[in-house]
Amino acid sequence: MTPEVTVGVLALQGDVREHMQRLRELSVTAVAVTSPQQLGDINGLVLPGGESTTMSILARREGFLDPLREYRSAGGPCFGSCAGLIMLADELIDGRPDQQTIGGLSISVRRNAFGRQVDSFETIVEMPALGPDPYPAVFIRAPWVETVAENVEILAINDKTGAIIAVRQESVLAVSFHPELTDDLRLHRYFVDIITEQM
Ligand code: GLN
């Protein structure tokens, strides 16, 4: 039996509602995390897509940066999509000069690597960790993963560019695209499985 899982969605900015909806479709309790105290009451945290520069400013202003870093260094499971991937990266290329990330994922990420808003696209990606069927992926001013440390597992590569677009390092999962904008629930389920393995 799956244990009761509560997943928080960092609600500073971005696709909060969409992630909560996907989690609820999996019968997981989803809560919008609007204050750092809530980080103590969740089993996993989603960092949504949106705009990482704005998220960084709001995280600092709302006193979230250190609590998020502590949550992560205590091994708290995280799932970042697009801007959320940027927030989790230890190293950021093409960020704003004062842009801060939470870190915790031993990768370098290039912001807006696939181009501008007009270069947004939808495609399918092979992701063997999710099974044999390809996964539909929506890319919106997406980052890519430029380098990974040895202990980071590469889950998917964009076949056109050869860029790394999905990674996992222990209990951290991060993707360049927006799983919250499709109705394929496999990536959210994969994250919930990461959480339950740890419980
Ligand atoms: N380009 C955005 C950023 O830097 C990410 C885009 C997205 O999350 N759709 O945060």
Side-chain angles (χ1 to χ4, degrees):
M1 234 191 60
T2 319
E4 279 285 314
V5 173
T6 300
V7 178
V9 181
L10 184 63
L12 292 170
Q13 190 267 341
D15 293 345
V16 179
R17 229 172 354 146
E18 292 82 353
H19 270 294
M20 302 231 312
Q21 181 58 34
R22 296 286 93 79
L23 291 162
R24 286 175 180 152
E25 283 160 14
L26 290 172
S27 305
V28 165
T29 304
V31 295
V33 174
T34 53
S35 85
Q37 289 73 23
Q38 288 171 274
L39 295 172
D41 304 328
I42 56 173
N43 305 113
L45 179 70
V46 172
L47 297 107
E51 176 48 54
S52 61
T53 53
T54 311
M55 255 178 232
S56 157
I57 291 168
L58 293 175
R60 193 158 28 172
R61 190 193 297 162
E62 304 295 321
F64 255 110
L65 276 179
D66 285 340
L68 284 169
R69 287 173 181 147
E70 280 157 25
Y71 170 84
R72 202 24 247 150
S73 49
C78 290
F79 176 20
S81 61
C82 203
L85 162 86
I86 295 172
M87 290 301 285
L88 289 169
D90 276 349
E91 199 192 325
L92 178 57
I93 305 161
D94 286 348
R96 292 269 185 100
D98 59 346
Q99 186 171 350
Q100 303 238 19
T101 71
I102 300 158
L105 188 50
S106 311
I107 59 172
S108 64
V109 162
R110 185 175 294 278
R111 222 177 127 238
N112 298 340
F114 286 96
R116 302 155 57 106
Q117 192 79 20
V118 287
D119 301 312
S120 298
F121 61 100
E122 209 170 324
T123 186
I124 52 168
V125 298
E126 300 293 334
M127 223 186 296
L130 302 181
D133 293 336
Y135 188 89
V138 179
F139 290 78
I140 305 169
R141 276 190 312 124
W144 70 38
V145 177
E146 199 135 310
T147 60
V148 299
E150 241 169 49
N151 57 343
V152 175
E153 189 186 346
I154 296 171
L155 298 178
I157 290 200
N158 173 243
D159 53 5
K160 255 204 197 121
T161 55
I164 302 166
I165 51 168
V167 290
R168 175 182 175 181
Q169 182 179 358
E170 292 152 10
S171 60
V172 187
L173 173 68
V175 300
S176 293
F177 47 89
H178 290 272
E180 69 278 21
L181 299 183
T182 63
D183 54 15
D184 191 320
L185 296 175
R186 284 178 295 161
L187 258 173
H188 286 85
R189 186 173 299 123
Y190 185 69
F191 180 53
V192 174
D193 288 344
I194 291 174
I195 296 171
T196 53
E197 273 165 26
Q198 266 208 354
M199 288 172 82

